[in-house]
Amino acid sequence: MKIENKNMIKEINVSTSHIEEIEMIMGPTPLGICRWGVTLITIIVGLVLVSTLFIQWPETLTIQSYIRITNDASEEFDMVIKLSAEQIKLIQEGINARISLNAKNQDWGEYHGKVTHIPVMTDSTKLYPVHICLNMYEKTDKGNASIADLVKMPCLIAHPMLETTVTITLSENYLLQRILKR
């Protein structure tokens, strides 16, 4: 049994001498604060990556357009915007659209609709009409007038063209999905 202990002591001494040689070549081992710093940075980067799984970052297409308000008795309002062939390739029927209406330098708020009709493209240089269906009686996010109320306003009867900003939601992806997609 004593012989085994002597062999173990020799092995320990040999490995200690190797450590000293390694330290001479590479330098001394870093202090504890350096090791903890690297660990802390790794944990922070890991938390940021995990958080991208829970942050929703929709991909959108925003277009400046004009629409004509007409007094129609139906429940829905069909809005037509003009898009290029390149923009049409990005959208599909049934996806959501947000429409911000502005008239006479007044912001009427934001309405929600769905893309209902996309034309067949024949020429990549032309603009094509895309239909977006809105509910006539839905109030805006600001609690302003519905489209049914807007069509009755005297200022809009005289000048029925409204400047709009249309934001079409292309996808409801999470941040990590968008990062990996590129």
Side-chain angles (χ1 to χ4, degrees), residues 130-149:
V130 173
H131 294 259
I132 298 174
C133 185
L134 304 169
N135 184 337
M136 283 290 280
Y137 300 101
E138 176 188 356
K139 297 282 185 187
T140 66
D141 57 341
K142 295 181 178 179
N144 290 350
S146 66
I147 293 177
D149 297 332

Side-chain angles (χ1 to χ4, degrees), residues 10-26:
K10 285 182 183 178
E11 287 178 24
I12 292 172
N13 287 338
V14 169
S15 64
T16 305
S17 67
H18 286 294
I19 290 173
E20 290 170 0
E21 289 175 7
I22 292 171
E23 281 185 354
M24 283 177 50
I25 295 170
M26 294 181 64

Side-chain angles (χ1 to χ4, degrees), residues 2-146:
K2 290 182 181 181
I3 296 172
E4 289 178 18
N5 285 339
K6 287 181 182 179
N7 289 337
M8 287 175 66
I9 291 172
K10 285 182 183 178
E11 287 178 24
I12 292 172
N13 287 338
V14 169
S15 64
T16 305
S17 67
H18 286 294
I19 290 173
E20 290 170 0
E21 289 175 7
I22 292 171
E23 281 185 354
M24 283 177 50
I25 295 170
M26 294 181 64
T29 57
L31 299 173
I33 194 161
C34 291
R35 289 190 299 253
W36 279 107
V38 170
T39 303
L40 184 63
I41 290 172
T42 303
I43 289 170
I44 290 171
V45 168
L47 288 173
V48 167
L49 286 175
V50 169
S51 69
T52 61
L53 292 169
F54 303 105
I55 298 172
Q56 197 165 19
W57 195 288
E59 191 171 357
T60 60
L61 174 66
T62 302
I63 304 122
Q64 293 290 333
S65 183
Y66 288 91
I67 63 167
R68 180 175 293 279
I69 297 289
T70 57
N71 195 354
D72 189 3
S74 70
E75 289 286 320
E76 296 177 338
F77 175 78
D78 194 33
M79 174 182 151
V80 180
I81 59 171
K82 300 275 186 172
L83 297 179
S84 68
E86 189 175 295
Q87 292 169 326
I88 288 178
K89 288 178 186 175
L90 299 173
I91 64 174
Q92 56 188 328
E93 287 185 17
I95 61 176
N96 295 324
R98 291 189 315 268
I99 296 91
S100 298
L101 293 181
N102 304 301
K104 304 276 184 190
N105 295 327
Q106 185 175 0
D107 184 13
W108 293 97
E110 195 171 88
Y111 297 87
H112 301 279
K114 288 204 178 289
V115 174
T116 56
H117 174 71
I118 299 172
V120 176
M121 298 174 297
T122 56
D123 184 5
S124 62
T125 60
K126 291 173 63 177
L127 292 176
Y128 293 94
V130 173
H131 294 259
I132 298 174
C133 185
L134 304 169
N135 184 337
M136 283 290 280
Y137 300 101
E138 176 188 356
K139 297 282 185 187
T140 66
D141 57 341
K142 295 181 178 179
N144 290 350
S146 66

Side-chain angles (χ1 to χ4, degrees), residues 152-163:
K152 297 173 188 167
M153 293 186 168
C155 67
L156 294 180
I157 292 172
H159 303 284
M161 292 295 283
L162 288 178
E163 181 184 337

